[in-house]
Amino acid sequence: MPERLLSAAEAIREAQDQAMAADRRVFVIGEGVADPKGVFGTTLGRVEKYGPGRVVETPLSENAFTGVAIGSALMGQRPILVHQRVEFALLAMEQMVGNAAKAHYVSNGAHCVPLVIRLIIGRGWGQGPQHSQSLEALFAYIPGLKLVMPATPADAKGMLLAAIADDNPVVFMEHRWIHYATGHVPEASAPTPLDGPRRRRDGDDVTLVATSYMVFEAVQAADALAGEGVGVDLFDLRVARPLVLDAVVQSVRRTGRLVIVDTGWQAFGIGAEIAARVTESCFGALKAAPRRIGLPAHPTPSSPMLAKAYYPSSEAIAETAGSLAGLEKNRVAKVRETIARNRNDVPFDIPHPSFRGPF
Amino acid sequence: MPERLLSAAEAIREAQDQAMAADRRVFVIGEGVADPKGVFGTTLGRVEKYGPGRVVETPLSENAFTGVAIGSALMGQRPILVHQRVEFALLAMEQMVGNAAKAHYVSNGAHCVPLVIRLIIGRGWGQGPQHSQSLEALFAYIPGLKLVMPATPADAKGMLLAAIADDNPVVFMEHRWIHYATGHVPEASAPTPLDGPRRRRDGDDVTLVATSYMVFEAVQAADALAGEGVGVDLFDLRVARPLVLDAVVQSVRRTGRLVIVDTGWQAFGIGAEIAARVTESCFGALKAAPRRIGLPAHPTPSSPMLAKAYYPSSEAIAETAGSLAGLEKNRVAKVRETIARNRNDVPFDIPHPSFRGPF
Amino acid sequence: MPESQPNGRDSLDPAWLLGLYREMLRIRAVEEEIAARYSEQEMRCPVHLSIGQEATAVGACQALRPDDQILSSHRCHGHYLAKGGDLKAMMAEIHGKAAGCCGGRGGSMHLFDLKAGVLASVPIVSSSVPLAVGAALAFQQRGEDRVALAFLGDGSLEEGVFHESANLAAVMKLPAVFFVENNLYAVYTHLRGRQPDRPMTEIARAYAMPARHVDGNDVTAVHAATVEAVSRARAGGGPSLVIADTYRWREHCGPNYDNDLGYRGPEEFEVWKGRCPVGAFGADLKARGLLGDDEETRMNRQIAAEIDAAFAFAREAPFPDPASAGDGVYA
Amino acid sequence: MPESQPNGRDSLDPAWLLGLYREMLRIRAVEEEIAARYSEQEMRCPVHLSIGQEATAVGACQALRPDDQILSSHRCHGHYLAKGGDLKAMMAEIHGKAAGCCGGRGGSMHLFDLKAGVLASVPIVSSSVPLAVGAALAFQQRGEDRVALAFLGDGSLEEGVFHESANLAAVMKLPAVFFVENNLYAVYTHLRGRQPDRPMTEIARAYAMPARHVDGNDVTAVHAATVEAVSRARAGGGPSLVIADTYRWREHCGPNYDNDLGYRGPEEFEVWKGRCPVGAFGADLKARGLLGDDEETRMNRQIAAEIDAAFAFAREAPFPDPASAGDGVYA
Ligand SMILES: Cc1ncc(C[n+]2csc(CCOP(=O)(O)OP(=O)(O)O)c2C)c(N)n1
Ligand SMILES: Cc1ncc(C[n+]2csc(CCOP(=O)(O)OP(=O)(O)O)c2C)c(N)n1
Ligand SMILES: [Mg+2]
Ligand SMILES: [Mg+2]
């Protein structure tokens, strides 16, 4: 039987559907979950199948419906909550940090909050300062929350299933542009453990850790660098909390070099934790200081001309990783050219077709 | 004229008073600002002096009154907002991150938000999971916010004056236990620039960076280490955003060793950014990986017996800094004893008298 | 004006009335004992006493079944006890002991008892309100005829999350009851500085929700109003608002009186103290011949013994192992 | 039922009425032009058109002085123009150009014009509401007789921060007006799935606030109701709520119609389209002899020329320097 190609959006929809079919306690809640667009298609058709009692369209009340989801979880339900933009979750921070993250600990284990909070990160098309932030560092900081950031469609499905099956509150961050990526996705309802990074490319010269959509940019960079003989050991971080870095540390022991690329602001971002922890773990093996690539310290501008400078490109990743690995300037330039050639004329503010996989 | 001794709480009250007297646009807003306890004494008597129009007691509505303060600032007022616990600010994250932090940038410079947000961090006396968090990392992550964490009474006054005079939103985090610390505080209304760390002890063996109340624990550690011949170059961070580390990097170039102690959770905390940035800046000078000391990854337990294990002590700081600097085990033990002796029998869940200064 | 005694007490079962009285006496005695012993510094956490507010806790909880759930706030002692929470586990919790209802992790503001139907207490004002609505959603989704009741303070009504929760519960016709203990103050700030001048029940109109205003110091009136709200919720009629006027006697947080602070006048305090929910009800029971002095003495003696035992238990119980402090962050 | 034409139009100044009409025509034409040109992909940001809702923007803003401030949301084009915002700066902003009102940093959802009294537009639902109350607080503190008006959608009423803001404004008697454009939908979800069935004006009772319900497609009715609210605020009488029923013709976000999605029926759409705020008002003016066809043609021609010039300006204007993207994070 040939393997199926699904987009990550379809994979997410399928995971939710299978979980709902298998377990009556699972339900979906949020703004737009039952509307005709179905949260970028990821909940489409579910209200017809499961009814409004399990596909709960809410009033505009992010803080309350987060608390409602938590309360239902305390009573044994298994809600999947979704915000179409991560920004809306800022209104619900108190519920997330105060109640969801702490109930199990504070109750000395009596309470569980089996809650998935899907947060969608925007990007592109001038969405600007308040519709395209990448605030994962805020959630990564909170003990009691798990933080999952899938990149591939297979992970989008498998890790969402695992998040639903998890007895803890799991923040599941979906970058809009991974929604479009396609890949082989198993039909079975099989959770993929939330157990840490996965290697996406092999190499001995430099270790590259990327999160979410930046994994695709990193793949472009790694492949182009491979063409110039630089071996990139590329990890897809997948889980930011709890942060498991053994494989990365092992890799750095071999390569001596680390570059981290994430979707958020660089300063105080999750790259800082990764850099600090890897440094603590294998200082002696490091040939140079770990390098971080992230967003510059300002809000997302709407104008395409300003946004273009805002997002780190595969070129920038290749340049950082390549020069860290000692690649000569002219060969770095060649790598940049290769990447640019592959990009063709696709505007940078819509997803590049080459990111559509299959991955 | 002899110098005055003031507690940090008194210093904060004086700074607010002087700013209000000097500038009609300055006002105070929050829950409890006009009540008979006056926010741990820091706003006491102000409503009698300036009236309820400038000491604005609000309904319980953290998100709204943060937006109200921002709106008034957009119209040219200079509000000082206060939350008696940092947790209450979680309800206002959207206003802080969405409006306060971004207005100047998004308006291309036309708007200013000259707003001070005083956030008080609790500790001790079993306040437990929801009244004693130290969430500075959440605010440090946000471009457009400044984040100030004074330790000494002089800084509490001078930096609050500077924060009030600043045209940007400044988060001013006050640890409850620094409120009790006393020190020499100039009577004049003189702002202290929000310009970065200050050296609190001199030494050549290890660089120690501490924030807020942990500065006092670090001082104990540094002094005890000095007794054993270990020179600690101790910095009070003071400003977490914008983060200026030149002096720290210079110090690490000399000592080759860095320890960071902050009041928040260690993982994904501000120590990670400091460690990563210093490593990037002077990798070659480092003799060992920077070490971070912070809270373990769980909520604050209420029980004194559990909380005791939760907070890093001066002993722990001394042990980390001492062994990093190569101090032998038995001499580290001696340092721990010295510190313990100084502590006498004061329970750990109330502020130690030796922290009352003068500093 | 709050309604009083919508059902004449005469028609009520005397044993049941004595039970109400006993429970109010017990809550009062527990909190008086906490106040008396607080200065010994064995209870090393903040306490928010509800002395003076016993009738709301008891009247409301008596309207609930054991499998109904309540949600409470920082001021949760009375609610916890009235719903059937374990006294020993409460005292151990306040003493920070391993046998506490949270294993010592929560302290006085986090009391819960799953078996008794005290789902959670949360010290962030109004933060437990959506949790109650969420419990109600779970009941509705599973077709269970259970009800969730949120205890709120008057201050809690000012928080946005209350309004969001009330609207959501109303739209979805969830089996929830919003029970407001209006004690006129949030910390030291009077209602008049925090809400405009209108009957508090007007809030319910925004959500097309029935509302009742009762004398919160009249335990049977509280009970009757809550029964009405609970029955409606149980029958699928959706949420209601109950406003019960009452008064906190002691300081906002801590064991003492704080009238010296000047935020409330001595006259106001005396008026409310004169309307003691426990004393007035006891006097009424006696006047109607339902309660004798002997019986009252016996009750008090039993209660005192239970409380002594609970304190002894809490004091002698072991502290949690410091090495366990990091356990159980994740399930 | 909304009130209609509380002041008969006959008593109103004809020139002023023509001005209202012209402004509605202009807003309509600007947005039609955006819709027409959107597929050219020169405007690379989301747009939320208010076609069909012109009477609320114009009627409300006409009740304000230039130094009064409005606050708006994601759907801000009409408000910005009606309050006197600069059309060229708006078009440049939507095109991401340096001459945009935000220098290209904000895009279509962040329009503001300090000189005109458009203090800010914020794309997070209800997030601008407390900003309006804060502006009102500043006016009160400084003894200025200015008013702040917040434009809200019906969905915005469900957000907690609206309630917190309304309560705060009411307690402090701040010069604020909460002006609700009730277009029945939040994105694709009808009001009946989001709020219980009661007159929306009932919300005001929770805050002891006067409320008016008007036909939001009747520009003079909107104006009269807003004048009342603004006058009360200016005179120190505190905030009011105005509910204006209207309808968004196009899709929630973007240039197209979206009735094919099925979230609203074609009959409903046709009814509202038949009640076009611009067309109906124009017809009325003509019927009463205040507007001739020639005059209307001249108006349309002038407006078209202005819009053409604004688009030309926006297209030709330079982009901001990419190197400036990080400037101005701090003042
Ligand atoms: C969100 C939030 N804001 C502020 C506080 C501080 N606080 C604790 S109790 C309280 C007053 C609550 O008043 P009310 O709801 O009337 O309850 P009461 O104390 O009168 O029982 C306040 C403001 C808090 N705990 N949470
Ligand atoms: C806090 C928040 N939640 C959700 C959204 C997504 N969103 C954008 S517009 C909108 C609907 C708003 O409805 P309404 O207030 O009635 O305004 P309308 O679009 O009808 O003009 C929603 C839910 C948002 N921007 N902000
Ligand atoms: Mg109260
Ligand atoms: Mg609407």
Side-chain angles (χ1 to χ4, degrees), chain A residues 27 53 56 59 61 63-64 67-68 70-72 75 77 94-95 99 104-108 110-111 144-146 168 241, chain C residues 102-103 105 110 112 114 119 122 124 127 130-131 133-135 138-139 141-142 146 161 164-165 167 325 327-331:
Chain A
F27 71 97
V56 180
S61 50
N63 200 17
V68 166
I70 297 167
S72 78
M75 294 308 302
Q77 301 294 90
E94 197 284 308
Q95 286 296 329
N99 291 331
H104 185 68
Y105 182 87
V106 174
S107 69
N108 205 19
H111 282 311
L145 297 182
K146 293 189 177 182
N168 299 287
R241 185 168 197 120
Chain C
C102 303
R105 292 172 166 203
H110 285 277
F112 84 112
L114 281 187
L119 185 53
V122 179
I124 302 298
S127 178
L131 302 184
V133 175
F139 300 154
Q141 286 175 325
R142 299 195 295 236
R146 297 159 73 187
V161 75
E164 294 184 356
S165 301
N167 181 58
D327 296 349
V329 177
Y330 295 98

Side-chain angles (χ1 to χ4, degrees), chain B residues 64 75 94 105 111 145 168, chain D residues 119 127 141-142 164 325 330-331:
Chain B
M75 295 308 302
E94 197 284 309
Y105 181 86
H111 283 310
L145 297 181
N168 299 288
Chain D
L119 185 53
S127 178
Q141 287 176 323
R142 298 194 296 235
E164 294 183 355
Y330 295 98

